[in-house]
Amino acid sequence: FHVTAFSLTCSFLQKGFDMLAEGHTEFAPWYGPDAFEEEANLDRSRQILAVNLLNAELRVKRFESRDVGSQEHQEDSDALAFIVPNLLQFLSAMFPLEDETEKACLLRLKCRCFWLATRYYLWVGRCSNDASFSKAAEDFGLEYLKQTKMLLSEVGNNLSIKTPHLESLDCRGTNV
């Protein structure tokens, strides 16, 4: 029941994202402008990053509970192949920031993006039949894990990252 209820919740959230999307298509599952513009409103850019990150996190959680090879699993996998690199590119353009309040918020988002990239690329590495592709994906995953650990060690105990939406049978607690 727990997995079924979660899948239904993810599906409803996905439909909600789709209704709110600006220029969203099945081929480009991204909400809002796909590039960070420095002259744009930083708060709006942070919202775009956060919505796309939540979308990706929920897709990762959902595809981990689905049968490999199912149509839904493939759709999430294809969407994540687009979303994850774009999240990282969007995020990299938003730093460095001077304002401490904005910086703390974006550090949380950055940590979550790196953790998502770690999970995604390690998953891709495990599922690939091509040894060289698998190795490259695992190297990406381990690099993002390293960056996540470095980021967390830099900020110390001053940064709490709440992720209750990622709780599952395998992952307990509300923090990264």
Side-chain angles (χ1 to χ4, degrees):
F1 172 75
H2 181 68
V3 171
T4 304
F6 175 75
S7 293
L8 286 173
T9 302
C10 281
S11 295
F12 288 133
L13 284 171
Q14 202 65 50
K15 297 248 188 266
F17 282 140
D18 292 345
M19 290 172 51
L20 298 172
E22 298 171 12
H24 168 79
T25 69
E26 288 299 315
F27 301 108
W30 185 264
Y31 303 99
D34 60 354
F36 175 74
E37 299 171 8
E38 289 185 33
E39 61 276 353
N41 181 330
L42 183 60
D43 190 49
R44 175 77 172 131
S45 295
R46 187 181 63 227
Q47 291 169 0
I48 291 166
L49 179 67
V51 164
N52 285 291
L53 174 59
L54 178 61
N55 176 22
E57 288 172 333
L58 292 174
R59 283 179 184 270
V60 165
K61 187 169 179 180
R62 185 171 65 181
F63 83 58
E64 287 176 339
S65 68
R66 298 242 168 120
D67 293 331
V68 174
S70 70
Q71 181 178 350
E72 296 86 2
H73 187 270
Q74 188 61 48
E75 288 171 4
D76 284 339
S77 179
D78 292 345
L80 287 164
F82 179 85
I83 297 169
V84 172
N86 282 295
L87 272 174
L88 296 168
Q89 182 179 357
F90 194 89
L91 180 69
S92 68
M94 295 181 77
F95 280 89
L97 294 172
E98 302 301 321
D99 182 275
E100 288 302 316
T101 305
E102 294 291 334
K103 192 174 185 177
C105 181
L106 284 174
L107 283 172
R108 286 182 183 90
L109 291 174
K110 186 175 187 177
C111 189
R112 286 174 53 198
C113 283
F114 286 172
W115 181 243
L116 172 78
T118 298
R119 289 178 67 195
Y120 172 71
Y121 286 117
L122 289 176
W123 176 83
V124 167
R126 283 191 309 272
C127 293
S128 176
N129 293 329
D130 181 333
S132 62
F133 184 78
S134 179
K135 170 86 168 92
E138 286 181 2
D139 288 347
F140 273 130
L142 293 174
E143 178 58 32
Y144 283 109
L145 178 60
K146 181 179 164 185
Q147 289 185 35
T148 303
K149 288 173 66 176
M150 285 181 9
L151 182 61
L152 287 171
S153 68
E154 286 175 19
V155 296
N157 293 332
N158 299 333
L159 188 67
S160 176
I161 304 169
K162 303 288 185 187
T163 55
H165 59 286
L166 299 181
E167 276 193 76
S168 69
L169 297 174
D170 297 331
C171 180
R172 301 214 189 280
T174 58
N175 296 314
V176 169

